[in-house]
Amino acid sequence: MSFSSSLSNKSNHTERTANILRQSERVTAVIRKISQETPTVKSFVLEPKKATKNIDFLPGQWLDVFIPNVSIIGGFSITSTPRHLQLTNTLDLAVKYSTHPPAKWFHEEATLGSVVDIRVGGEFYYDAQKEKENGTRRLLFIAGGVGINPLMSMLASVIEAKEISFQNEEPENNIEKIQLLYSARTLDELLFFGRIEQLTKKNCGSLSFDCFYFLTREDPPSSQSPRINEKFLIDLLIDDHDDKDKKDIKHLKSFLCGPTQMQKDVVGWLVNGVGLSENQVALENWE
């Protein structure tokens, strides 16, 4: 995905993704569970009525959601993993409240048993085979607010695969280090905080996973800056006294999802400050 297309100012999901590939078939799904995750975000478990072979997605992709009596098509990132779909025939969404009709419907009208049509789409995703072929060994996920949604699926998928290969004593995949930078307004708006903390405790052999939280509207939980900035990224990714870290960034891939201005700032810092190529930075615009 090019930077120019992903940073579009269009706010309508259908307009913003008009030229992006999606599956041709719509599948009917039933809402099986609803949970209040944060003061402004609810999660939804959807069960496709057809077999899972009719739903195929890569971590990071989204769903077109067709809601009865709502003319606007919703667009929501899948927050669960492809393996979870295979095992349970369900997939998860996390929807932040807004007056936008699809989000408003999910928060105010959706109930257990409500039926919607869904269709997978999106070019912002984690492809394990492609990253292996590209020599990727290090992943940097950067999320702003509910931009954590597609990254949650990516992060969980990578750790899931690493844990399975380690437990089965199979050759481990190519990923050696994961770093997550997650910015939210307040502590209670850190969506998936518990799930992320559980992932840090997984036994994944040689995999290193570090998570950094940034709170922009209240005192941060540590002495670090309340906002992601260029200096933090340079200090995190490049140690001037360790030539190995400098060489290591050649094998780094960053996935970024958050507010438009945050994305523009972070891309500039990663390319101009850290020294990544544009091909090493993938981003999605959800505004």
Side-chain angles (χ1 to χ4, degrees), residues 17-215:
T17 63
N19 297 321
I20 294 179
L21 293 177
R22 61 249 287 157
Q23 291 179 334
S24 58
E25 182 182 7
R26 289 164 52 170
V27 175
T28 299
V30 182
I31 296 177
R32 296 302 187 193
K33 184 178 180 180
I34 303 174
S35 302
Q36 189 78 46
E37 299 292 340
T38 76
T40 60
V41 177
K42 286 184 177 182
S43 65
F44 299 84
V45 176
L46 303 183
E47 180 184 13
K49 284 189 173 182
K50 293 186 178 181
T52 54
K53 66 181 180 180
N54 293 289
I55 292 287
D56 183 25
F57 75 97
L58 288 168
Q61 290 189 292
W62 37 253
L63 293 178
D64 287 330
V65 182
F66 301 83
I67 303 167
N69 302 317
V70 176
S71 60
I72 297 175
I73 300 171
F76 303 102
S77 295
I78 303 168
T79 61
S80 49
T81 67
R83 183 170 183 269
H84 180 79
L85 174 62
Q86 294 172 358
L87 294 175
T88 68
N89 193 39
T90 62
L91 40 77
D92 300 347
L93 302 178
V95 181
K96 184 172 183 177
Y97 178 81
S98 77
T99 57
H100 190 60
K104 185 178 175 66
W105 179 87
F106 268 104
H107 275 262
E108 297 184 357
E109 297 185 44
T111 60
L112 297 181
S114 291
V115 175
V116 296
D117 282 353
I118 57 177
R119 181 175 62 190
V120 173
E123 297 172 350
F124 176 73
Y125 51 76
Y126 179 80
D127 185 331
Q129 184 59 39
K130 178 181 177 181
E131 296 307 330
K132 184 176 182 179
E133 293 171 357
N134 290 340
T136 302
R137 298 201 299 261
R138 184 176 178 183
L139 296 173
L140 173 67
F141 296 117
I142 303 178
V146 290
I148 189 65
N149 285 353
L151 303 185
M152 190 69 244
S153 179
M154 296 183 190
L155 173 64
S157 294
V158 175
I159 293 179
E160 186 177 73
K162 199 78 171 180
E163 183 182 32
I164 291 172
S165 63
F166 177 72
Q167 290 176 347
N168 294 337
E169 298 183 349
E170 299 172 347
E172 296 187 16
N173 62 37
N174 50 303
I175 303 303
E176 300 171 356
K177 179 185 289 188
I178 300 174
Q179 292 161 307
L180 170 65
L181 280 56
Y182 182 11
S183 175
R185 292 185 177 184
T186 60
L187 184 61
D188 62 3
E189 286 292 345
L190 281 174
L191 182 60
F192 304 125
F193 176 79
R195 185 178 174 190
I196 293 169
E197 290 299 297
Q198 286 298 315
L199 290 177
T200 65
K201 299 177 175 63
K202 295 287 186 179
N203 189 354
C204 299
S206 61
L207 179 68
S208 169
F209 175 34
D210 296 311
C211 184
F212 304 87
Y213 301 106
F214 299 81
L215 303 179

